[in-house]
Amino acid sequence: MCGIVGYAGKERCVEVLMKGLGHLEYRGYDSAGLALQRDGRIERITEVGQLENLTRTLAGRNGDLSLVRTGVGHTRWATHGRPSEENAHPHLGGDGRVAVVHNGIIENFSELKEELEGRGVSFRSETDTEVMAHLIAERVEAGESLRLALVGVLQRLEGSFAVAAVSVDEPGKVVAARRQSPLVIGLGEGENFLASAVQALLGETNEFILVENGEIVEIADSSVEVFTSSGEPVERESFEVEWDAEAVELGGYDDYMLKEIHEQPAALGSTLLGRIDTGGVVDLSEVGLDLSEIDRVVVVACGTAYHAGLLGKHAIEKLARLPVEVVIASEYRYADPIGDSRTLVVAISQSGETTDTLAAVQAARSFGARVLAVTNTKGSLITREADAVLLTRAGPEICVASTKAFVAQVAVLELLALALAGSRGVIPDRELREIGRGLRLAPEKVEETLELLGNRVEEAVEVFEDARCSLFLGRGISYPVALEGALKLKEISYLPSEGYPAGEMKHGPIALVDEHCPVVAVIGEGLVREKTLSNVEETVARGASVIAVARDGDKGAERIARLVLPVPEAPEILAPFVCSVPLQLLAYHVAKDRGLDVDKPRNLAKSVTVE
Ligand code: M6R
């Protein structure tokens, strides 16, 4: 949560910082601000609310900032102190000689604040960050360099953070450090960059250095130096990121969410590429773990990634006949979990930096489990904590509500299920290969789903116009799909939405049903189809308007539903993909109909880096 950027180099500092913040806004949008070195002083410019407010303010400055070469920027998700001008970052220390931007939490800030107040320092914000600005400023005023001041202050801080600072006394320099929260350095020519994530700098550079936990960094126009926490210089290899700038642009779409929904065929194609051949044989040797030694799987994740985990459980249990437990990471971390070295813990995280998922990984490591990270972000924190990594190759996901990363996570878990099944020999090879060939069809079946749906989803919006809540029902594999559909709808339309196993309805939630509580039913195929239809019928009898996600031409669904969102006939392994697409589009159109910002829903941030 919160995004930070830093720049040292040419007279395009404001442009680079603002572009970077634009690409980091998914991390929080309660306020935004810049601290710029100019004319022997630091100018702080902040605005409450989304970045566009700051953009407007800068536009009103008529280019007077065009000569600025060094600065830092911040986009905020409020933790300490409400969203306000005073609480917006950057925070200034001393008499404004130092400015600091921060992502994370300083846990011992109250003691430090008290101590500073005891020395006569007055605070202008309610944030934890401001203590850092004053502590650094005190040291700078006492004659220390900005870097050494930061090193000294870091030793006093408890918590997690990525921090960047500029000082009046060191023009052309930005100093930064990280503990737990992410930070990357972008390498340019005659300019260098800092950011919370590589996406911030795509279009500026593709060459990055990861800052390791505890390290301190100093950038200037033509130098980048990295130091250990005790001040020793270290050499760091750079790496290239293949994503291009277009991947973080809207490219003709109104919103990132719609763009990302339509990118799903490509995301699935890249995720499967090279991991399953035309004969349906899976190759996950990149994992580098001996899968035949595994006798139990635990999946840890949050939110949408947790739902992907539930779908992974279905696939692994069915194909590999291995027991799988799926646990919400924030619960797992404190649950004193049980396991041993034959337990495979699969930690799923699009961002690779969700605090609870990282803590769950540490909990798993404490009992010797082998940890496999499934993430969309190369070089992210989780990749450094895990024994092995499987990247989802969905490309950068900007919208807070996850769509393409979700289907890519499910695809990776299904590949893993096939690989585990292969190593255990519980299903005849011929059968496994057939299922594998089915999985290869994922991109084209999702494409077909998008075409088949056409404008049907927009028609469904009417059903939600006077809804006060909604229920998403499914059984078997359709149940996690329903859960994910309900999460999508509630997070971007703010309509209370429950995902429930259809067979469990009569044990409580059916009490919600009336004409103001539409039911979205994922009908599914196989064993539970008829049962689901009967469960849904019971809601119709109680006045519910039903929207059914069902195979195109499913007469049973057409009979009971007010509207069917059709999906193409597809192998069972593809059901989670084809059935999720209509639900994503449904959430999108309901939210748009309500005039809401689908990419930046209220109160949320994409990377949840606090507990
Ligand atoms: O980056 P992660 O996959 O670890 O994020 C986990 C959740 O915060 C995330 O999936 C969240 O639920 C999304 N907003 C859902 O759309």
Side-chain angles (χ1 to χ4, degrees):
M1 282 157 158
C2 298
I4 65 174
V5 268
Y7 177 82
K10 305 177 181 164
E11 290 166 349
R12 53 193 290 265
C13 176
V14 174
E15 175 200 326
V16 173
L17 294 178
M18 288 300 286
K19 246 168 73 192
L21 290 181
H23 295 318
L24 290 180
E25 232 192 334
Y26 66 86
R27 303 176 73 90
Y29 28 84
D30 287 332
S31 64
L34 304 178
L36 307 169
Q37 279 183 348
R38 61 181 306 223
D39 313 324
R41 62 192 170 92
I42 288 175
E43 179 156 357
R44 172 181 180 268
I45 310 165
T46 59
E47 282 298 339
V48 178
Q50 295 191 8
L51 190 66
E52 59 190 17
N53 298 344
L54 183 61
T55 307
R56 259 197 305 275
T57 299
L58 293 175
R61 300 283 299 250
N62 294 325
D64 71 322
L65 302 171
S66 60
L67 298 180
V68 173
R69 289 164 167 266
T70 312
V72 291
H74 188 270
T75 179
R76 177 169 191 246
W77 189 85
T79 56
H80 293 67
R82 76 213 138 83
S84 68
E85 201 285 317
E86 306 78 60
N87 291 332
H89 297 221
H91 289 286
L92 301 179
D95 55 359
R97 298 196 83 70
V98 168
V100 170
V101 288
H102 165 221
N103 162 30
I105 288 184
I106 310 298
E107 285 163 7
N108 58 337
F109 90 100
S110 325
E111 291 137 66
L112 295 170
K113 187 171 180 178
E114 220 171 277
E115 178 190 311
L116 282 157
E117 281 172 335
R119 291 201 288 273
V121 174
S122 48
F123 281 73
R124 58 187 297 276
S125 79
E126 302 154 298
T127 66
D128 51 342
T129 307
E130 198 181 343
V131 296
M132 245 196 287
H134 291 300
L135 288 170
I136 295 172
E138 279 187 342
R139 286 175 171 259
V140 166
E141 277 160 20
E144 278 184 355
S145 69
L146 183 59
R147 178 168 67 81
L148 288 181
L150 182 58
V151 171
V153 170
L154 294 185
Q155 285 161 8
R156 304 218 43 213
L157 302 181
E158 286 164 24
S160 58
F161 46 80
V163 54
V166 285
S167 157
V168 167
D169 301 298
E170 295 180 54
K173 243 181 226 173
V174 184
V175 170
R178 68 162 281 248
R179 189 188 294 163
Q180 310 310 336
S181 305
L183 185 66
V184 296
I185 304 168
L187 302 175
E189 303 229 336
E191 58 186 348
N192 289 300
F193 317 82
L194 289 164
S196 298
V198 295
Q199 321 36 343
L201 304 176
L202 296 179
E204 303 299 343
T205 180
N206 280 73
E207 200 181 352
F208 293 91
I209 292 176
L210 291 174
V211 182
E212 296 292 344
N213 224 0
E215 286 178 344
I216 324 280
V217 181
E218 193 170 292
I219 64 163
D221 57 357
S222 46
S223 65
V224 166
E225 292 172 279
V226 183
F227 303 87
T228 62
S229 53
S230 50
E232 298 299 315
V234 276
E235 289 292 320
R236 283 255 160 272
E237 290 283 306
S238 66
F239 67 99
E240 290 225 346
V241 168
E242 301 93 38
W243 294 346
D244 58 20
E246 267 178 39
V248 289
E249 301 299 341
L250 277 169
Y253 285 92
D254 287 344
D255 328 80
Y256 284 106
M257 182 169 183
L258 196 58
K259 177 180 183 237
E260 287 161 7
I261 290 172
H262 283 90
E263 282 173 345
Q264 291 182 112
L268 284 164
S270 334
T271 299
L272 296 174
L273 190 73
R275 291 169 168 165
I276 185 164
D277 68 16
T278 48
V281 178
V282 170
D283 177 3
L284 284 191
S285 49
E286 64 187 286
V287 169
L289 297 174
D290 185 353
L291 296 179
S292 65
E293 287 177 2
I294 304 300
D295 61 16
R296 177 174 166 252
V297 178
V298 178
V299 179
V300 291
C302 302
T304 287
Y306 168 76
H307 297 151
L310 293 174
L311 289 161
K313 172 184 164 81
H314 273 270
I316 296 170
E317 290 190 338
K318 178 156 190 201
L319 301 177
R321 306 303 296 155
L322 266 176
V324 183
E325 210 184 324
V326 190
V327 193
I328 287 182
S330 54
E331 291 298 316
Y332 188 80
R333 61 184 294 189
Y334 295 114
D336 196 8
I338 306 163
D340 57 28
S341 62
R342 296 177 72 84
T343 307
L344 177 69
V345 171
V346 182
I348 312 171
S349 174
Q350 186 283 131
S351 60
E353 54 177 271
T354 299
T355 298
D356 286 321
T357 310
L358 290 167
V361 166
Q362 270 150 22
R365 295 197 74 97
S366 70
F367 64 75
R370 272 168 284 183
V371 178
L372 170 65
V374 175
T375 180
N376 200 35
T377 316
K378 193 173 171 182
S380 58
L381 301 177
I382 207 164
T383 62
R384 289 179 264 171
E385 299 284 342
D387 299 305
V389 177
L390 276 173
L391 287 175
T392 49
R393 305 183 196 126
E397 192 180 64
I398 310 290
C399 176
V400 166
S402 185
T403 53
K404 63 176 180 170
F406 168 70
V407 293
Q409 286 161 352
V410 177
V412 163
L413 294 169
E414 293 188 345
L415 285 168
L416 180 65
L418 287 165
L420 285 163
S423 73
R424 289 166 58 75
V426 285
I427 291 191
D429 272 359
R430 192 182 35 79
E431 220 175 290
L432 273 185
R433 285 200 299 273
E434 196 185 325
I435 299 169
R437 285 196 296 276
L439 179 54
R440 276 179 60 91
L441 300 175
E444 66 189 73
K445 285 291 170 189
V446 169
E447 193 70 69
E448 209 180 315
T449 310
L450 287 162
E451 280 163 22
L452 195 58
L453 286 166
N455 295 331
R456 295 293 285 277
V457 185
E458 282 158 69
E459 291 168 37
V461 169
E462 199 194 325
V463 176
F464 287 82
E465 264 160 15
D466 55 0
R468 61 172 166 72
C469 64
S470 66
L471 274 171
F472 283 66
L473 304 178
R475 294 181 79 137
I477 207 163
S478 301
Y479 166 49
V481 171
L483 283 176
E484 174 57 11
L487 175 62
K488 268 325 57 112
L489 185 65
K490 79 181 89 165
E491 75 180 319
I492 62 169
S493 74
Y494 318 143
L495 181 72
S497 317
E498 285 247 18
Y500 231 78
E504 188 66 8
M505 274 279 292
K506 289 193 281 290
H507 302 282
I510 200 162
L512 291 175
V513 171
D514 63 14
E515 61 279 18
H516 299 293
C517 179
V519 167
V520 182
V522 186
I523 303 300
E525 296 288 338
L527 258 188
V528 289
R529 178 177 171 277
E530 293 299 326
K531 305 277 176 206
T532 310
L533 287 173
S534 327
N535 297 144
V536 174
E537 193 126 31
E538 288 153 8
T539 70
V540 177
R542 283 155 183 86
S545 289
V546 171
I547 293 172
V549 172
R551 183 178 30 79
D552 193 24
D554 182 326
K555 296 286 173 241
E558 284 169 8
R559 189 175 46 78
I560 55 170
R562 174 155 159 195
L563 186 80
V564 175
L565 300 178
V567 298
E569 197 156 349
E572 193 189 344
I573 196 154
L574 301 186
F577 308 116
V578 296
C579 294
S580 294
V581 174
L583 301 185
Q584 296 166 343
L585 285 168
L586 181 65
Y588 173 83
H589 287 295
V590 171
K592 288 294 275 188
D593 186 56
R594 293 176 174 220
L596 297 170
D597 184 339
V598 291
D599 287 339
K600 294 177 211 142
R602 72 182 180 203
N603 304 338
L604 291 174
K606 192 160 182 67
S607 297
V608 182
T609 55
V610 294
E611 248 193 283

